[in-house]
Amino acid sequence: MLEEINQAEREALEALEAVGSNDELQAWRSLHLGKKSQLKQQLKNLGRLSPEERPVVGKRTHEIRQRLEASLDARRDELEAARIEASLAAEALDVTMPGRPVRRGRLHVSTRTLRRIYAIWAEMGFQVYRSRDVESDEYNFQLLNFPRHHPAREMQDTFHTTTDDVLLRTHTSPGQIRVMRENAFDADGTPRADPDPIRVILPGMCYRYEQITARSEIQFNQVEGLAVGRRIRMSDLKGTLTDFARRMFGQDTRTRFRCSHFPFTEPSAEMDIECFLCGGEGCRVCKHAGWLEILGCGMVHPVVLANGGYDPTVYSGFAFGMGPERIAMLRHGIEDIRQFWANDLRFLEQF
Ligand code: DAH
């Protein structure tokens, strides 16, 4: 009898050595310590033993149970320790390895140029006014003195929508009318007696139905500017725009104004800056002219002032329009305007 239970103990301990997982541990437990285990059977059968044998076998059975239980706990601890060790080994961190660089995004070169332009105009007291991308023919052309079928419209090939007279703005100039009207009229449409003077810039995307080439894109930014008030003169335009050019391109920048024509300004001009690359000597960027064309400008046409609700016999103003992409191309020597919206990281990461 004793021999049998000692044998059972040896077998159980041996089996425990082979146990490798928690599930196996559970199985081992019910096999060797559970209700149907040999040990439990033995205890049930104690009654059949002789009075001399009974206490000896009983005591031994009890000892074995305690030993198996202790071994079970020890094995469970071992398994847990092994599991932790394995997972630590698997997840080991080498804290001496160099870190992975975090790839930082950056602002698009157009956004950077725009922000520089906003900052300069803000210093000069111009507020940013946002106007809409989808415009009516009336605002984009008619109120700016481009009558229907006027040949000047051909300078700005237009994306029309499927709705009559609704189009994507071809320039930011229609915003001029919107700002003026917002200032010149009350919400119910009554004209104000003495509307406030205006000093704003109107930045935004413009769209033209053009062939895309290295020099022309179907979408591009413009920054429009408008100053309206009493006794604003051409000299204010020249002084203000020259000041802008110096802040943007350097204090020694020279400017020149050339006559031009826009339907919404009279007189109209284009401003050139002396080429910052060659200092006026002539180079590839300025095409050997020594000058770079930066913007269009002029005194707001009386018809446009009147369309905006400002009496042209009392008020005057100047306006200008510049292309941040063009400025960025000149500043950074970018040769192909298609780069701006091509989303090529090799290009974008250079700024
Ligand atoms: N709207 C013109 C264009 O897209 C640019 C421009 C020229 C705007 C002269 C002006 C201006 O405000 O005075 O070509």
Side-chain angles (χ1 to χ4, degrees), residues 289-304:
W291 295 92
L292 298 166
E293 185 203 317
I294 288 297
L295 51 82
C297 56
M299 300 308 289
V300 182
H301 196 290
V303 168
V304 175

Side-chain angles (χ1 to χ4, degrees), residues 267-308:
S268 304
E270 275 166 335
M271 183 178 83
D272 296 342
I273 58 166
E274 200 171 46
C275 180
F276 44 73
L277 221 80
C278 60
E281 298 271 300
C283 68
R284 210 165 53 98
V285 170
C286 62
K287 304 213 181 63
H288 302 284
W291 295 92
L292 298 166
E293 185 203 317
I294 288 297
L295 51 82
C297 56
M299 300 308 289
V300 182
H301 196 290
V303 168
V304 175
L305 280 173
N307 288 342

Side-chain angles (χ1 to χ4, degrees), residues 156 171 173 176 208 222 224-225 262 264-265 296-298 319-321:
Q156 304 191 1
H171 52 173
S173 306
Q176 290 188 23
R208 289 193 196 171
Q222 275 190 349
E224 187 85 12
F262 302 102
F264 39 89
T265 45
C297 56
F320 55 87

